[in-house]
Amino acid sequence: MRRLAQLALALSLAVPAVASAQLAPNLGNLKFGGDLGSNGSVNGFSVGPYKAQLKDFSPMLANVLSPNFASIWCVDFSHSAPSTSAWDDYYATAFTLNSAGSEGNGDFSRTRQLEGKYRQAAWLIEQYNVVGGATYSATNVQGTIWKLFGANVSGFTQLAVAQNVTLTKDWFVLSDDAQSNSRSEHSNQEFLTWRDRPALTTTVTPEPSTYALMASGLLALGFAARRRRAQR
């Protein structure tokens, strides 16, 4: 009986701590590599997808290289791209995953916009990658993204995008460390890049209420056994 009571007490105290820490931006280097192909233009500027080399970022970004270049999209029309010959410091903010690998809150202290706009832009890029065609062309997707971020651009069909979207990839905002407001080197565009979302292994963790029920059940069994012994 004493052992059962001790076990019940231990179970009632074994409530797992809930991790609430956000994913902080990781500082690494980006070298702009130009267009991945002939994608068209908006207001005379070429549109995504672009290519870039990434290094020294978090291991979470390790599998975006295919094999030497990451595919990136510009979200900031008002800033210039870094040169193809020099590395530039960028923060990579993870905004669609948390430490458990699922949708979660990122630390957006290093980005120029709020999470919602990046999510909408990421959704448009996913439509380009999966659906494509005349509607989700690079010109329409890039133009709509630049419009979402406040640019006065024209010459494309603006695409509809919901306020709340569901994404299928893990997405990262690449933000220049300088974060200046002029169009010059070291005051560069923000980009979006992504990785395939890894398959999750589900681990069932009992709720605190489950622990309490288990403890109560063990105590009830102990009292019942003790009562039967006393009646003999």
Side-chain angles (χ1 to χ4, degrees):
M1 178 60 194
R2 185 178 299 170
R3 289 180 180 176
L4 281 172
Q6 290 173 341
L7 178 59
L9 178 62
L11 284 171
S12 65
L13 294 175
V15 178
V18 178
S20 59
Q22 294 181 330
L23 289 179
N26 285 280
L27 185 63
N29 290 282
L30 179 151
K31 183 185 290 185
F32 185 72
D35 294 343
L36 283 173
S38 179
N39 308 310
S41 64
V42 172
N43 280 39
F45 293 97
S46 61
V47 300
Y50 307 101
K51 62 182 179 179
Q53 289 178 273
L54 306 177
K55 69 176 185 178
D56 300 330
F57 287 105
S58 162
M60 284 186 293
L61 273 166
N63 72 341
V64 304
L65 306 178
S66 179
N68 299 314
F69 289 95
S71 180
I72 60 176
W73 284 73
C74 170
V75 295
D76 187 352
F77 181 79
S78 300
H79 294 75
S80 65
S83 70
T84 58
S85 60
W87 294 95
D88 202 6
D89 291 333
Y90 273 74
Y91 285 98
T93 299
F95 70 95
T96 59
L97 72 163
N98 56 28
S99 57
S102 57
E103 296 276 341
N105 296 320
D107 176 0
F108 279 75
S109 61
R110 297 288 182 175
T111 64
R112 298 187 180 114
Q113 301 284 346
L114 298 177
E115 179 180 4
K117 289 187 178 181
Y118 297 113
R119 293 181 66 88
Q120 290 177 306
W123 182 85
L124 285 166
I125 296 167
E126 287 194 0
Q127 303 314 298
Y128 171 85
N129 290 333
V130 176
V131 181
T135 300
Y136 291 102
S137 65
T139 300
N140 292 340
V141 168
Q142 184 74 84
T144 301
I145 290 173
W146 281 341
K147 198 84 170 179
L148 279 173
F149 283 77
N152 184 19
V153 290
S154 60
F156 62 94
T157 300
Q158 187 167 348
L159 303 172
V161 55
Q163 289 294 320
N164 298 310
V165 295
T166 300
L167 302 172
T168 64
K169 308 287 186 183
D170 288 334
W171 286 88
F172 302 84
V173 187
L174 303 177
S175 304
D176 178 46
D177 187 30
Q179 294 195 10
S180 175
N181 291 316
S182 62
R183 181 180 282 274
S184 63
E185 188 69 28
H186 301 295
S187 58
N188 301 313
Q189 297 163 330
E190 281 191 325
F191 298 97
L192 285 177
T193 192
W194 66 94
R195 69 168 191 176
D196 290 332
R197 186 165 291 171
L200 298 178
T201 56
T202 303
T203 302
V204 178
T205 303
E207 296 280 340
S209 57
T210 304
Y211 283 110
L213 285 173
M214 290 171 61
S216 300
L218 286 172
L219 284 172
L221 286 173
F223 282 124
R226 186 178 183 182
R227 186 175 181 182
R228 282 197 299 270
R229 286 197 301 270
Q231 290 174 347
R232 288 178 181 176

